[in-house]
Amino acid sequence: MLSAFRKKKIKSLPIRVCSLDSNLEFNLDYNATGLELYDQCCRALGLREEWYFGLQYEDTKGNICWLKKEKRVVDQNINKENCVFMFIAKFFPENVQDDLIQEITQHLFFLQIKQAILTMEYYCPPEASVLLASYYVQAKYGDYDDSLWNKTGMLSSEDLLPQRVIDQYSMTPQMWFERIKTWYADHKGMSRDEAEMEYLKIAQDLDMFGVNYFPIANKKHSDLWLGITSLGLNIYERENKLTPKTVFQWSEIKNVSFDDKKFTIKPIDKGSPNFVFFSTRLRMNELILDLCIGNHELFMRRRKPDTMEIQQMKAQAKEEKQRRQIERNKLAREKQMREQAERDKAVLEARLHQLQEEMRNANAALKRSEEAAELLEQKNHLAEEEAMLLSRKAMEVEQEILKLKNYALKTEEEKLQFERKSREAETLTARLVEESQKRASEADRLKTELINARLAEREAKTKLFSFLSATIASPEPTPVTVAHIVSSPERVLTASTNSLNESNGAQNTEECYSYDFVENNDINEISLEIERERTEYLAKFKQVQSQLKDLRSEIEMLKISESEFDRINNEQLKLGENKYSTLKKALKQKFFFL
């Protein structure tokens, strides 16, 4: 008996939780509540802004549900054999830059919005799709690298644009990549969290951002869409999910309630009639009321002073951003120093090549000088030999003259003949002497040139050694181093609900659920505050809108088809309307469908 009790006590339920960033597995205690499971997921992800997210699942009847935190997990009609939950955003911020604090919160929203755009759950104009794709590539791959982009084809397997956009234009993937690359290259130096935030800031201007749509019908049985947002409730025509025809801001709603399939929105203004619509399923009304309560609570929280926890989170996030900025600056400096060192190395290598070339030229000049000196020495040797030969010939001539003179003594005729021959010999001798002197002079001149050549050779060697010594002694160049909080009146939120008969599990169709929104002070201040915030926000994105307009004009010529969403979006652009001007206009026509 004790053993059976222990087995029952330690019985657990295997749970798998999937987020867009990771998958988690838990062995959950059988009596654990939804809150306990949700807290485990938040701790595992390091998430503190838990008010935005929820656990979504498909029940045994195929309905999409959100896990209720106050009830046990096993009591919520889950599939116990294959219990899988999706950890996704249930509520959305009004302004991503001001409302999202943690980087993990920002990253999870980024992944969810990106998936909604690529799967065409959200309508996104073509030019905005290209800009968002460039921020996605920057967040995933970092700074643009031309060699990686062109050689590796790293984006060939990436889903960067919605298929609807690709099918609308007669453009090749390379043409789309080139347009994405143009903006991608401009994001150089942007970190991952900065790129993701820029992505979300652009995406939040999309008309379908953060809107939960539900099919409804009014009293006239006209098919409509109910859109639940962070700012209020929107009513859309069935064929147009972009432009709301009626808008109820949370600050103008006193009570929301449903009775069976009938749902009622009661405005604060007593002169305004209630808006009544009907849904097809009771479970859908429960989900609508749950989303209304959650969005209204966040709406009120943003207009109150930050709690101590949020102040601490913001301070920690600020410190973390500063620390990362310091690290990025340090990395940037190190990168700059490395690039400077590489440039200096290239300069030194170029200088070395130049010196090596000069050395080769000097060696070639020295070799030419040595060859010239050797040639002059050979010429001098030849001249000396010729001079010696002429000297021998002159001696022979002189001997011959002596012989002639001796012979001339014998006879007078021989004397006369000797005198004649002597004169001839003297003439010849004089000519030979003159020639010998010329050869001797030429030999002296060649010796002088040889001496000068050797001096020039010695001087060239001296200059070469001096040049090399100066080069070796000169120091190498040193690398250069570069060094809202909006306080609004307290609102009393009164939630009233008729209890359900949980004992037999049956839903009494006459029982009614309601949620009251009552204010203690004048509501006009909140409305003015909201409008002022929207005006300030629009001013921040004029430059981005200008860029989108340029790209829209560029690719318009290549369009081959147009969807209904594109037609509505183009009409809004021609009228100069955007998401917030449309909401403001809808407020003036609030009871168009009543």
Side-chain angles (χ1 to χ4, degrees):
M1 192 72 181
L2 180 60
S3 176
F5 175 75
R6 287 177 178 174
K7 288 182 180 179
K8 182 177 180 181
K9 185 176 181 180
I10 63 175
K11 188 175 182 181
S12 61
L13 180 68
I15 300 289
R16 186 156 60 96
V17 178
C18 301
S19 72
L20 296 176
D21 189 43
S22 60
N23 294 331
L24 306 173
E25 293 185 358
F26 303 99
N27 285 323
L28 189 69
D29 186 271
Y30 217 71
N31 294 320
T33 64
L35 179 60
E36 292 173 339
L37 174 59
Y38 184 72
D39 288 341
Q40 289 187 44
C41 295
C42 291
R43 285 195 299 270
L45 294 172
L47 179 69
R48 297 181 63 185
E49 295 177 272
E50 74 278 357
W51 47 85
Y52 287 116
F53 298 90
L55 293 172
Q56 191 181 79
Y57 68 98
E58 183 177 344
D59 66 10
T60 56
K61 297 181 180 180
N63 299 315
I64 300 299
C65 307
W66 291 96
L67 186 68
K68 296 179 181 179
K69 297 180 180 180
E70 68 278 2
K71 295 180 64 176
R72 294 198 312 168
V73 175
V74 295
D75 295 338
Q76 299 192 46
N77 199 19
I78 63 173
N79 186 346
K80 298 180 179 63
E81 295 180 357
N82 184 21
C83 192
V84 179
F85 294 92
M86 287 297 298
F87 189 91
I88 57 175
K90 185 177 182 180
F91 306 105
F92 290 79
E94 296 179 26
N95 187 313
V96 294
Q97 188 172 16
D98 296 335
D99 297 343
L100 301 184
I101 304 173
Q102 285 187 288
E103 184 180 344
I104 181 62
T105 311
Q106 171 187 308
H107 183 62
L108 291 175
F109 269 103
F110 165 77
L111 295 176
Q112 184 167 339
I113 299 304
K114 179 180 70 70
Q115 184 184 59
I117 292 174
L118 294 179
T119 58
M120 296 178 287
E121 179 182 347
Y122 287 177
Y123 167 73
C124 183
E127 63 277 4
S129 300
V130 174
L131 179 57
L132 290 174
S134 69
Y135 282 114
Y136 164 67
V137 176
Q138 177 70 25
K140 184 172 183 179
Y141 294 103
D143 290 344
Y144 170 75
D145 189 329
D146 189 66
S147 60
L148 290 176
W149 181 280
N150 294 326
K151 294 180 181 179
T152 63
M154 65 180 183
L155 300 181
S156 58
S157 61
E158 290 280 358
D159 292 331
L160 300 178
L161 299 172
Q163 190 62 40
R164 173 188 52 78
V165 174
I166 297 175
D167 295 341
Q168 278 186 280
Y169 295 86
S170 57
M171 295 172 62
T172 63
Q174 186 61 33
M175 294 171 69
W176 285 115
F177 289 162
E178 289 299 320
R179 281 153 179 81
I180 294 173
K181 182 181 71 174
T182 301
W183 271 334
Y184 176 29
D186 291 339
H187 304 332
K188 185 176 182 180
M190 189 177 293
S191 64
R192 191 194 80 166
D193 55 323
E194 291 173 338
E196 290 179 351
M197 178 54 68
E198 292 300 321
Y199 187 103
L200 291 174
K201 285 163 65 177
I202 295 171
Q204 75 176 355
D205 281 348
L206 301 178
D207 294 294
M208 300 177 74
F209 176 85
V211 183
N212 290 291
Y213 293 92
F214 296 91
I216 60 171
N218 60 9
K219 293 179 179 180
K220 300 177 182 178
H221 303 287
S222 299
D223 291 334
L224 303 170
W225 289 105
L226 171 68
I228 305 177
T229 73
S230 60
L231 294 175
L233 301 177
N234 301 337
I235 308 299
Y236 302 85
E237 292 178 330
R238 182 54 66 94
E239 66 277 6
N240 183 358
K241 296 173 75 172
L242 298 182
T243 309
K245 292 300 182 180
T246 305
V247 174
F248 298 92
Q249 293 187 352
W250 296 122
S251 58
E252 299 175 347
I253 299 175
K254 180 179 181 181
N255 173 274
V256 290
S257 61
F258 73 89
D259 183 7
D260 194 21
K261 296 180 180 180
K262 178 181 177 181
F263 201 103
T264 304
I265 301 174
K266 184 176 182 180
I268 289 177
D269 187 1
K270 296 181 180 180
S272 301
N274 297 339
F275 181 79
V276 178
F277 62 85
F278 301 89
S279 63
T280 56
R281 299 192 307 272
L282 177 63
R283 183 175 293 275
M284 191 173 75
N285 274 357
E286 295 175 347
L287 179 56
I288 290 173
L289 182 61
D290 181 39
L291 290 174
C292 287
I293 295 172
N295 277 290
H296 180 266
E297 288 177 350
L298 288 177
F299 178 84
M300 298 302 297
R301 174 187 289 186
R302 297 186 188 104
R303 283 147 184 84
K304 294 179 181 179
D306 289 339
T307 63
M308 184 61 68
E309 179 186 7
I310 294 179
Q311 292 179 23
Q312 291 176 351
M313 290 171 59
K314 288 184 176 180
Q316 291 174 0
K318 183 178 180 180
E319 292 176 359
E320 182 67 15
K321 287 182 180 179
Q322 290 176 348
R323 184 186 63 79
R324 292 187 179 182
Q325 185 62 42
I326 292 172
E327 290 179 354
R328 284 197 293 267
N329 292 338
K330 183 179 178 180
L331 290 175
R333 286 195 301 269
E334 291 177 353
K335 182 179 179 181
Q336 189 174 10
M337 292 172 63
R338 184 167 56 252
E339 292 175 350
Q340 182 64 36
E342 291 176 354
R343 287 194 295 269
D344 292 340
K345 180 181 177 181
V347 171
L348 290 174
E349 289 178 348
R351 179 59 177 165
L352 178 60
H353 292 322
Q354 181 183 357
L355 293 174
Q356 290 175 345
E357 184 65 25
E358 291 178 357
M359 184 182 294
R360 284 193 294 269
N361 294 336
N363 288 331
L366 178 60
K367 186 176 181 180
R368 288 195 298 271
S369 299
E370 290 175 349
E371 291 175 351
E374 184 178 356
L375 180 60
L376 289 173
E377 187 175 359
Q378 291 175 357
K379 288 183 178 180
N380 182 57
H381 182 67
L382 291 174
E384 289 178 350
E385 289 180 352
E386 289 179 357
M388 291 176 64
L389 181 60
L390 290 175
S391 298
R392 285 196 297 270
K393 287 183 177 180
M395 291 176 66
E396 290 176 357
V397 171
E398 288 180 355
Q399 290 176 358
E400 186 66 25
I401 291 173
L402 290 173
K403 289 179 180 181
L404 289 174
K405 284 182 179 180
N406 291 330
Y407 184 76
L409 294 173
K410 295 181 179 179
T411 61
E412 193 66 29
E413 289 181 10
E414 289 177 348
K415 182 179 180 180
L416 293 174
Q417 186 179 1
F418 176 76
E419 289 178 356
R420 180 175 57 79
K421 289 183 178 181
S422 179
R423 286 193 297 271
E424 291 176 359
E426 288 176 356
T427 304
L428 178 61
T429 300
R431 189 166 63 250
L432 290 174
V433 170
E434 184 180 357
E435 184 67 23
S436 176
Q437 291 175 350
K438 288 182 180 180
R439 295 293 184 179
S441 177
E442 180 68 19
D444 293 339
R445 185 181 64 80
L446 290 174
K447 285 182 179 181
T448 304
E449 291 180 0
L450 176 59
I451 293 170
N452 292 335
R454 288 177 174 172
L455 290 174
E457 178 186 357
R458 187 177 295 109
E459 184 179 355
K461 288 182 177 179
T462 303
K463 289 182 178 180
L464 177 60
F465 293 152
S466 300
F467 173 76
L468 292 176
S469 300
T471 303
I472 295 173
S474 60
E476 296 182 357
T478 304
V480 181
T481 59
V482 182
H484 143 44
I485 298 173
V486 176
S487 297
S488 66
E490 282 288 327
R491 291 158 173 80
V492 180
L493 306 183
T494 305
S496 63
T497 177
N498 293 324
S499 61
L500 298 173
N501 189 349
E502 296 181 352
S503 61
N504 55 17
Q507 176 66 46
N508 189 336
T509 59
E510 295 181 358
E511 291 179 345
C512 175
Y513 295 84
S514 66
Y515 190 72
D516 297 332
F517 304 150
V518 182
E519 298 184 298
N520 292 334
N521 296 322
D522 192 358
I523 202 64
N524 292 330
E525 295 181 2
I526 294 180
S527 300
L528 293 174
E529 178 66 19
I530 294 172
E531 183 61 27
R532 183 184 66 79
E533 291 173 357
R534 298 281 75 82
T535 304
E536 291 178 354
Y537 176 77
L538 289 173
K540 296 179 182 178
F541 292 92
K542 286 185 178 179
Q543 184 177 2
V544 173
Q545 296 302 324
S546 178
Q547 289 180 311
L548 294 176
K549 183 178 180 181
D550 293 339
L551 180 60
R552 188 185 309 114
S553 301
E554 180 183 351
I555 65 177
E556 187 66 27
M557 299 297 294
L558 300 172
K559 182 181 288 187
I560 57 178
S561 65
E562 186 176 71
S563 67
E564 183 65 20
F565 283 151
D566 292 317
R567 183 189 64 78
I568 296 171
N569 184 64
N570 291 334
E571 289 179 357
Q572 290 179 346
L573 292 174
K574 290 179 182 179
L575 295 174
E577 294 181 351
N578 55 34
K579 179 179 181 179
Y580 301 111
S581 63
T582 303
L583 291 173
K584 184 177 179 181
K585 182 178 179 180
L587 286 170
K588 299 179 181 179
Q589 303 174 349
K590 180 175 299 183
F591 303 105
F592 180 78
F593 285 99
L594 299 182

